[in-house]
Amino acid sequence: MTAATCLAALVLLIDTSGSVPDHLYAAQRDGTALAFETPQLVRAMEQDGGMAVMVADFSYRAMVRLGWTMIRNASEAGHFAAAVRALERSGRHDTTAIGRAIADAHRELAAAPCLPQFRVIDISTDGQETISLTPAWEARDAAAAEGVIINAIAFGPRPGEFPGIDSVNLLTDTELWLRENVATGFIRVAVEESGFLEAFRNKLVTEVTALQSVTE
């Protein structure tokens, strides 16, 4: 039986590497959940056959936390948001293998439960790759060659949270590195802790509504 068509298959990669404090893990998680409770996002998903969404944590590699879920209406979006919000941090590994996480997400897209008009990997991270099991640019190029879009959001510690670290320059360096090695679509930057949750929400709403507008 042929799978139904859908607007998109989306893999959400959430950074749980050792440099990410618990409050910023929570901001990634809760901002993602909030997005699926946003009417603008729900309206986009109600058209064009809905969306298939997966959530994975990553540090050393991607670990699936919520498997492929079809979201076609407000009720399904609400259930998914609740499942995301209930996630507890899976671990805290010292390395950040962004390329391997992208490669893992790319493979997962092949198992999406619908035939998507768009395939998207969405990655949030606080830094550059620290171990190149698969170099990020290599994983990006392999995914892009098959039409996969990779979007990213960079975030960092609050000023003064880590003595001796310039959080502003660190975030700028992360953004530049993501532009050069990871993203084929857009990049967002979360610059203030008070706005992190909203930044994650807005990033995802922008992502999905932009895809929906292309089909109109």
Side-chain angles (χ1 to χ4, degrees):
M1 184 175 180
T2 303
T5 59
C6 62
L7 173 63
L10 171 64
V11 180
L12 298 168
L13 292 174
I14 295 177
D15 193 342
T16 58
S17 58
S19 60
V20 178
D22 288 340
H23 69 279
L24 292 186
Y25 168 75
Q28 295 176 85
R29 179 197 64 200
D30 295 348
T32 298
L34 185 62
F36 286 92
E37 297 168 334
T38 302
Q40 185 181 3
L41 181 72
V42 173
R43 285 195 297 270
M45 291 190 295
E46 286 176 338
Q47 303 182 44
D48 300 301
M51 285 182 55
V53 187
M54 167 184 286
V55 178
D57 289 349
F58 79 93
S59 53
Y60 182 72
R61 67 173 307 153
M63 176 185 297
V64 176
R65 304 300 309 284
L66 292 174
W68 284 116
T69 303
M70 285 299 305
I71 304 176
R72 292 157 292 214
N73 53 53
S75 177
E76 292 175 347
H79 285 301
F80 186 76
V84 172
R85 193 172 280 113
L87 292 173
E88 296 184 1
R89 186 170 186 153
S90 60
R92 190 191 303 270
H93 199 284
D94 287 341
T95 58
T96 306
I98 292 175
R100 185 172 185 178
I102 293 171
D104 290 342
H106 185 192
R107 285 191 295 272
E108 293 289 353
L109 284 166
C114 59
L115 296 176
Q117 298 179 60
F118 302 96
R119 292 178 297 159
V120 182
I121 297 171
D122 178 304
I123 185 167
S124 60
T125 184
D126 74 333
Q128 304 178 27
E129 186 165 70
T130 62
I131 182 170
S132 296
L133 301 171
T134 300
W137 64 266
E138 183 177 304
R140 174 204 61 198
D141 289 353
E146 296 184 8
V148 176
I149 301 166
I150 304 176
N151 297 323
I153 183 167
F155 62 93
R158 66 171 73 95
E161 184 169 6
F162 297 110
I165 293 179
D166 185 331
S167 59
V168 175
N169 285 337
L170 178 64
L171 189 57
T172 298
D173 289 345
T174 298
E175 179 185 6
L176 291 173
W177 185 86
L178 288 170
R179 289 189 186 282
E180 292 176 357
N181 296 277
V182 173
T184 62
F186 69 78
I187 292 178
R188 290 290 183 90
V189 177
V191 295
E192 296 181 5
E193 183 180 358
S194 61
F196 279 167
L197 190 146
E198 187 66 13
F200 290 117
R201 183 191 76 86
N202 285 339
K203 176 259 303 178
L204 189 51
V205 171
T206 298
E207 189 165 53
V208 175
T209 54
L211 296 178
Q212 197 273 330
S213 67
V214 172
T215 68
E216 293 180 345

